[in-house]
Amino acid sequence: MSATVIDGAAIAAAIRREVKAAVDALQREHGITPGLATVLVGNDPASATYVRNKRKACAEVGIASFGYELPTDTPPQKLLALLDELACRSEVHGILVQLPLPSHLDEGQVLGRVPPEKDVDGFHPSNLGVLGIRGREPRFAPCTPAGCIALLERSAIPIAGRHAVVLGRSKIVGLPLALMLLARDATVTICHSRTTDLASLTRQADILVAAIGKARFVTRDMVRPGAVVIDVGINRIEDARDPRGYRLVGDVDFEEVRTVASAITPVPGGVGPMTIAMLLWNTLRAAECSVPK
Ligand code: GUN
């Protein structure tokens, strides 16, 4: 069997077009331009690139973005005061604090200070909590898990009644994704670094999601023939043939696993482009919710 390769770049482009049309309509009908504030603390080059890409994507769909860059040694009170100020600004509908934060800052305290109605990353405890409650429509789902769900749904892959095995329990991906799959009636197993006999669990998966940050960790023998495999990993491996000296691979050994899976996401071009598309979607929703009823 050779798996269908799920084209995340094409699906993300379709979502960006839908967001742009809705942004235009919001502007035309209500005079509202959605606005996203990005907050970057410190000088981690990867985080700076992510934020730059997010702001560029905003501009392409007509969302205004307001960038704040703070030094690494920013005192907590200063960051919290900025978040309070952004919370009050009516042209800012969404607030994104890029992670990871420098180690002297308390991530839980900072993310808890973003008002839930502007929490377009979906990391506030009240937004994360709602993901796990059946029948409650979440205001904002975290962007990468929301991207995984959108890839499945837009590829017409059924979730209800399937056994989904999620490798990874992070707050950003594994845990919220497991809750979102559960809310869609999957049977969910979460595996993590302390799980024993991992392969016996992954081999039971109808839908296998890898979000552990280990290059090509999932091999052919860990995948049930016909399973759907979603690869969230983005890992650099040395490659002397690439002009950059490295290339990007996922948490899944793509070439091996594509021979047994029924569908698989590539890296790059799978889940990656979906994260920003869902951030735009969430920012649009935040702006739509600000329309007076
Ligand atoms: N760092 C890695 N992923 C994310 C994300 O989705 N949002 C934010 N704010 N920071 C991140």
Side-chain angles (χ1 to χ4, degrees), residues 83-286:
L83 295 177
D84 291 347
E85 183 202 319
L86 294 172
C88 296
R89 292 214 349 228
S90 59
E91 74 278 25
V92 172
H93 302 96
I95 301 172
L96 176 146
V97 181
Q98 186 64 30
L99 302 177
L101 289 168
S103 57
H104 71 284
L105 295 168
D106 176 346
E107 193 178 283
Q109 183 188 39
V110 171
L111 297 178
R113 195 69 159 245
V114 175
E117 63 280 7
K118 295 194 178 186
D119 173 36
V120 286
D121 252 332
F123 293 157
H124 189 286
S126 71
N127 285 326
L128 274 178
V130 167
L131 292 179
I133 302 175
R134 260 169 73 82
R136 283 275 299 269
E137 183 65 27
R139 198 191 273 122
F140 303 114
C143 303
T144 301
C148 296
I149 298 285
L151 284 178
L152 292 170
E153 289 180 345
R154 288 181 183 235
S155 304
I157 293 167
I159 298 174
R162 313 305 291 278
H163 186 186
V165 176
V166 179
L167 301 186
R169 55 177 160 179
S170 74
K171 176 177 77 252
I172 293 181
V173 186
L175 185 62
L177 180 56
L179 294 174
M180 292 171 79
L181 289 163
L182 190 61
R184 287 161 180 77
D185 295 322
T187 301
V188 181
T189 301
I190 306 177
C191 300
H192 49 77
S193 52
R194 305 293 295 270
T195 299
T196 53
D197 200 4
L198 191 76
S200 74
L201 294 166
T202 60
R203 275 196 293 270
Q204 294 174 34
D206 300 309
I207 299 171
L208 178 61
V209 184
I212 44 173
K214 290 191 177 161
R216 297 190 290 208
F217 178 85
V218 176
T219 47
R220 190 177 195 277
D221 55 303
M222 296 168 72
V223 179
R224 193 180 61 72
V228 173
V229 178
I230 304 291
D231 190 352
V232 184
I234 302 178
N235 310 289
R236 280 186 183 193
I237 58 163
E238 274 184 35
D239 184 352
R241 284 168 306 177
D242 192 294
R244 298 169 300 184
Y246 70 87
R247 68 190 163 93
L248 297 179
V249 297
D251 290 351
V252 175
D253 188 325
F254 181 81
E255 290 306 330
E256 270 192 14
V257 171
R258 73 182 303 183
T259 63
V260 282
S262 62
I264 186 168
T265 62
V267 177
V271 175
M274 295 296 290
T275 298
I276 293 186
M278 302 320 288
L279 172 68
L280 302 175
W281 182 279
N282 281 351
T283 306
L284 165 69
R285 262 185 63 84

Side-chain angles (χ1 to χ4, degrees), residues 20-41:
K20 183 166 187 340
V23 166
D24 292 346
L26 194 61
Q27 174 62 248
R28 207 171 43 242
E29 289 161 23
H30 299 282
I32 292 174
T33 302
L36 174 71
T38 60
V39 180
L40 175 63
V41 188

